[in-house]
Amino acid sequence: MGPRERREREREEIRTKILDAARELFASEGVESVTMRRIADRIEYSPTAIYFHFRDKDALLAELCDHDFREFAHQFTALAAIADPLERLRAVGHAYIDFGFRNRSHYRLMFMTPRANASRDSQLAKGNPEEDAYAFVKSILVEAIAAKRLRAELTDADLLTQVIWSGVHGVISLEIAKASDEWVEWRPIAERAKLAIDMMVRGITCGVAKEQ
């Protein structure tokens, strides 16, 4: 490895450290309260070093969220090969919950942290299922509607996407925020996820949807 390649690798390693520290701080303390100096202190760098990589906090936040949303959408890529749209929808639901369960800091920032102008700052290709998870799920429901697999009155793919998203988000956000609360005798997350997804798919399907 030559000097140029070594410098590039070191640069990427520093950027990753900055992004990882920022993600944790944004998720735990809120975007508005975290400064670039706070991020620098977390990784024991000077603020100047942070500004060398990101012009300001908005630029850092935009790149961080785009990175995480792109990785999130890529979780679904292999699922596109599932021929049956309803079975694909089930698989997406489980993949969504699994992502949140395994990547809690990512999930908190992506879906549980208010952020102004998030869509305006994004560089993701809106509507491209390879980068836009919402578009991926909506495409499944458009296919299911066209194939007459859903109840006849359910013709709004956006409405269905948003309701299903709300359902799976509820499962994982409760797991992240409340699973340590002893007030509720929580059942295992795998059981809650399976039942929630099955109820949603069965609830929109004409006839009886096969359980998994």
Side-chain angles (χ1 to χ4, degrees):
M1 180 182 295
R4 181 177 179 180
E5 290 78 8
R6 188 177 297 108
R7 286 195 300 271
E8 184 62 27
R9 185 182 69 178
E10 291 172 352
R11 178 176 179 275
E12 288 304 314
E13 288 174 351
I14 294 171
R15 286 178 70 86
T16 298
K17 287 181 67 174
I18 294 169
L19 291 170
D20 288 346
R23 180 188 297 110
E24 293 179 6
L25 289 169
F26 289 150
S28 62
E29 300 180 12
V31 171
E32 297 302 322
S33 64
V34 175
T35 64
M36 295 290 267
R37 179 175 292 279
R38 179 81 174 87
I39 296 168
D41 289 344
R42 171 61 69 92
I43 60 174
E44 299 181 339
Y45 277 75
S46 70
T48 302
I50 304 290
Y51 284 110
F52 176 79
H53 294 275
F54 302 97
R55 70 175 186 275
D56 55 27
K57 187 171 76 171
D58 287 343
L60 191 162
L61 184 57
E63 180 167 333
L64 176 60
C65 288
D66 277 2
H67 174 274
D68 288 354
F69 275 108
R70 190 175 286 110
E71 289 299 309
F72 176 63
H74 287 174
Q75 302 294 310
F76 299 159
T77 302
L79 306 181
I82 299 174
D84 185 285
L86 296 181
E87 298 313 310
R88 199 182 319 141
L89 185 63
R90 287 183 190 276
V92 166
H94 285 290
Y96 182 107
I97 292 173
D98 183 63
F99 176 89
F101 183 72
R102 290 185 295 101
N103 303 279
R104 299 186 181 214
S105 291
H106 296 62
Y107 194 89
R108 285 191 188 96
L109 177 61
M110 294 163 69
F111 298 111
M112 300 172 69
T113 303
R115 183 164 73 94
N117 303 317
S119 298
R120 186 194 67 187
D121 297 333
S122 176
Q123 298 300 309
L124 296 178
K126 181 178 179 180
N128 177 358
E130 294 184 2
E131 294 192 352
D132 182 346
Y134 182 93
F136 186 92
V137 176
K138 180 181 174 181
S139 70
I140 297 173
L141 290 160
V142 168
E143 181 181 341
I145 291 168
K148 301 188 184 305
R149 298 292 303 280
L150 306 186
R151 287 165 30 201
E153 73 274 18
L154 300 178
T155 59
D156 186 335
D158 279 296
L159 176 61
L160 288 168
T161 301
Q162 291 160 26
V163 169
I164 291 170
W165 181 10
S166 298
V168 292
H169 171 72
V171 172
I172 192 59
S173 60
L174 279 173
E175 173 66 19
I176 290 172
K178 301 294 288 183
S180 61
D181 188 339
E182 297 179 358
W183 189 268
V184 175
E185 294 183 9
W186 293 103
R187 298 300 184 257
I189 180 64
E191 293 182 17
R192 284 180 275 138
K194 182 180 183 303
L195 182 58
I197 293 167
D198 182 58
M199 290 172 63
M200 285 187 284
V201 174
R202 288 170 67 89
I204 66 174
T205 303
C206 58
V208 179
K210 181 175 67 176
E211 292 187 23
Q212 293 295 303

